[in-house]
Amino acid sequence: MTTLHNLTIKKFHEGLRLKDFSALEITKAYLDHIDARDSEIGAYLSLSAKEALLQAEQADLVLARGENLAPLAGVPFGIKDAILVQGEPATSGSKILADYRAAYDATVTSKMRLSGAVFLGKTNMDEFAMGSSTENSAFKKTKNPHDTSRVPGGSSGGSAAAVAAHMALAALGSDTGGSIRQPAAFCGVVGLKPTYGAVSRYGLTAMASSLDQIGPITRTVADAGIVFRAIAGRDVKDATTADVSYSAEDFEPNFEKLRNMTFGLPDEYFIDGLATSVREAIDRVVQIYNSFGVKFKKISLPHTRYALSDYYIIMPAEVSANLARFDGLRYAPVSGVDRHSKLEELYVANRSQGFGREAKRRIILGTFVLSSGYYDAYYGKAQKVRRLIKNDFLEAFRGVDLILAPTTPTPAFKLGEKVEDPLAMYLSDVFTIPASLAGIPAISIPAALSPGDLPIAFQLMAPHFGEAKLINAGNYYEQAVSGQAI
Ligand code: GLN
């Protein structure tokens, strides 16, 4: 029997065609489940139930007319609050945007509308996507559905928790240094960070523009491929999007392609801080791929050790520029701020009261590394190091097809465990940041449960625009462990 617990996009569409259920029934089931469960989990910041039901009815109409279903027809989604859905709140987890509603649709939103998606609501996130636990949200803390004393990861923690707790069939997140992959890993779901330039960011509230990418969080690898193909592509409204077409054929399961591959295992990702449970889980993943015929090769990405520090120069620099636009005059007023007779005083009051601690920390850090006396020493140098990190990957991909590594050094940590120690928090992204700096695609896939029943994940990284290879390789792993056909 199909229940929300074993539903995937593929099964959902099969069920619709067989008339096992209607799209409306399924959307209602998700909304009911949100009603029952989300007071405990806190995945959503706002719901758009009425619109969702209308969208679901549309899918049923299309089907009743005997037309083909669009790729996301009737699929109930949670959307990270940084992604604009016209008329809906878009707070980005910040008090400074608490009363803002999106004036237009993001490109991914309009593409998903065209593909028939249903929008259940907007999901919680760290303020302006800055964090690894969703504890930096100005509104609430999201809990990990596998253990509510633990964090769901971040910054797309609401999206990952929604999918993991069956409060959405799929979700969108954004990843600047790991914010799709790390929460997907902590919540036991799949997260794909596309190649930089594969998906338009028009209508995504920017964090660090040279790194931000939107991508899917789903229950299966195949579903991630379906959502990715619906949102990818060149967009005239985002000049960084590339004119790359992904052919449907590339996304068809192809065992021949996989079994002839060589995967790289980077020395630098198997470090002392790696939890034993994670190391063991990765060993088992390697065995499974080995059994398919995949060959493994040890590789070195020597500049990996600079990636975290490099990111914490480049990212805050861009954050400080991007967040300059929030002054409490544009977008929405900041509640609780008194009137001021001087404009500057008003700006100061709005920004002091509107931004949280982490946002302020990064604005200050970013402004410092961009200041005239330090620009070359910090920002300029960081850009050069970034190039070296990217070169490491380009060099490695001459000898291997994909790179396999853990997504995170440990399973989900406790709520409150790292909030007072930003450096410890930053370290949870040490394995996801390098791919972000290099702009390459990477997917996080559930590998195992730890002794305490917490999800552990592995990550596959591919050369630029190699998403189809990630999906193909991920599909067969999933099939092997679940015993279900692709
Ligand atoms: N956790 C990382 C940070 O705090 C990554 C955030 C992200 O990818 N948006 O910057």
Side-chain angles (χ1 to χ4, degrees):
M1 204 188 83
T2 309
T3 66
L4 295 192
H5 286 256
N6 60 20
L7 205 59
T8 64
I9 297 180
K10 228 179 112 191
K11 281 192 200 163
F12 170 59
H13 277 182
E14 279 163 16
L16 282 183
R17 288 194 197 95
L18 294 170
K19 305 220 181 325
D20 288 344
F21 41 69
S22 69
L24 189 62
E25 279 165 359
I26 295 293
T27 289
K28 277 191 182 150
Y30 278 105
L31 289 169
D32 287 348
H33 196 57
I34 293 171
D35 216 29
R37 187 90 206 273
D38 205 34
S39 51
E40 187 193 1
I41 303 295
Y44 283 94
L45 287 174
S46 58
L47 292 175
S48 43
K50 248 168 73 187
E51 290 77 3
L53 295 171
L54 288 174
Q55 289 169 322
E57 276 173 0
Q58 282 301 321
D60 287 331
L61 281 177
V62 168
L63 207 66
R65 285 199 299 261
E67 291 168 23
N68 276 342
L69 285 175
L72 303 179
V75 177
F77 271 86
I79 308 283
K80 188 178 187 177
D81 210 31
I83 298 169
L84 304 190
V85 177
Q86 190 175 14
E88 296 302 322
T91 68
S92 271
S94 180
K95 191 180 165 205
I96 209 163
L97 289 176
D99 294 322
Y100 174 65
R101 279 179 184 266
Y104 59 93
D105 271 344
T107 294
V108 289
T109 308
S110 18
K111 285 195 163 208
M112 286 169 70
R113 279 191 204 283
L114 283 174
S115 283
V118 170
F119 302 130
L120 297 172
K122 307 296 294 294
T123 57
N124 197 21
M125 56 183 283
D126 285 299
E127 182 175 16
F128 291 110
M130 296 185 271
S132 309
S133 66
T134 314
E135 291 165 295
N136 293 338
S137 164
F139 304 107
K140 58 174 157 185
K141 295 189 189 359
T142 302
K143 317 269 177 4
N144 190 315
H146 291 265
D147 174 349
T148 50
S149 71
R150 292 180 187 266
V151 302
S155 62
S156 314
S159 286
V163 175
H166 312 288
M167 296 191 290
L169 181 46
L172 286 189
S174 65
D175 191 311
T176 301
S179 279
I180 289 175
R181 290 163 285 160
Q182 185 257 22
F186 279 9
C187 291
V189 291
V190 174
L192 170 68
K193 181 202 90 77
T195 308
Y196 186 78
V199 177
S200 167
R201 291 95 43 83
Y202 176 73
L204 167 72
T205 304
M207 175 184 167
S209 306
S210 76
L211 296 152
D212 299 341
Q213 266 297 289
I214 296 173
I217 296 179
T218 52
R219 304 201 63 82
T220 62
V221 174
D223 282 2
I226 295 172
V227 179
F228 170 71
R229 285 180 52 213
I231 60 172
R234 167 98 181 117
D235 177 18
V236 288
K237 291 176 183 151
D238 177 354
T240 64
T241 51
D243 205 358
V244 173
S245 56
Y246 292 90
S247 83
E249 200 192 319
D250 285 346
F251 284 84
E252 290 296 320
N254 187 325
F255 191 68
E256 278 307 297
K257 275 191 192 162
L258 173 63
R259 73 181 190 93
N260 290 318
M261 281 190 173
T262 304
F263 288 6
L265 289 171
D267 277 342
E268 292 77 6
Y269 286 63
F270 295 87
I271 49 173
D272 281 347
L274 188 64
T276 318
S277 58
V278 178
R279 190 181 297 262
E280 288 170 0
I282 301 295
D283 286 346
R284 284 194 296 275
V285 175
V286 170
Q287 280 168 21
I288 290 181
Y289 276 112
N290 252 322
S291 73
F292 296 154
V294 171
K295 284 176 275 308
F296 279 87
K297 199 165 135 183
K298 275 188 177 290
I299 56 166
S300 175
L301 300 165
H303 296 92
T304 303
R305 63 193 161 117
Y306 303 114
L308 194 65
S309 346
D310 199 48
Y311 173 79
Y312 275 93
I313 292 177
I314 292 171
M315 174 274 297
E318 296 181 16
V319 161
S320 70
N322 275 326
L323 297 196
R325 60 171 69 89
F326 300 107
D327 54 13
L329 300 181
R330 278 171 281 204
Y331 307 105
V334 182
S335 67
V337 172
D338 297 333
R339 287 187 187 200
H340 285 266
S341 51
K342 295 214 178 79
L343 184 62
E344 186 168 343
E345 282 172 14
L346 181 61
Y347 285 150
V348 170
N350 278 333
R351 286 172 66 86
S352 307
Q353 292 179 44
F355 287 130
R357 274 201 311 176
E358 188 63 26
K360 286 179 188 159
R361 182 180 293 129
R362 296 195 194 190
I363 291 171
I364 292 168
L365 201 61
T367 314
F368 176 76
V369 299
L370 289 176
S371 58
S372 60
Y374 293 101
Y375 184 97
D376 289 337
Y378 291 111
Y379 188 71
K381 193 154 184 186
Q383 291 291 22
K384 292 180 186 157
V385 174
R386 181 177 187 172
R387 180 73 216 192
L388 296 175
I389 291 167
K390 183 176 173 183
N391 285 350
D392 280 354
F393 282 105
L394 297 181
E395 182 58 34
F397 284 128
R398 285 177 202 237
V400 298
D401 300 287
L402 298 178
I403 295 172
L404 191 149
T407 309
T408 57
T410 65
F413 45 89
K414 292 263 186 199
L415 282 151
E417 191 181 319
K418 300 193 183 193
V419 261
E420 295 308 324
D421 185 351
L423 279 185
M425 185 75 88
Y426 298 168
L427 272 167
S428 66
D429 298 310
V430 30
F431 297 150
T432 50
I433 282 174
S436 298
L437 288 168
I440 58 171
I443 192 168
S444 176
I445 301 174
L449 290 179
S450 72
D453 275 354
L454 296 172
I456 296 174
F458 70 102
Q459 183 181 202
L460 292 172
M461 295 174 256
H464 294 91
F465 303 103
E467 282 83 353
K469 287 188 195 169
L470 296 180
I471 301 290
N472 193 43
N475 265 332
Y476 284 98
Y477 172 80
E478 226 173 42
Q479 185 185 35
V481 294
S482 73
Q484 292 193 17
I486 295 170

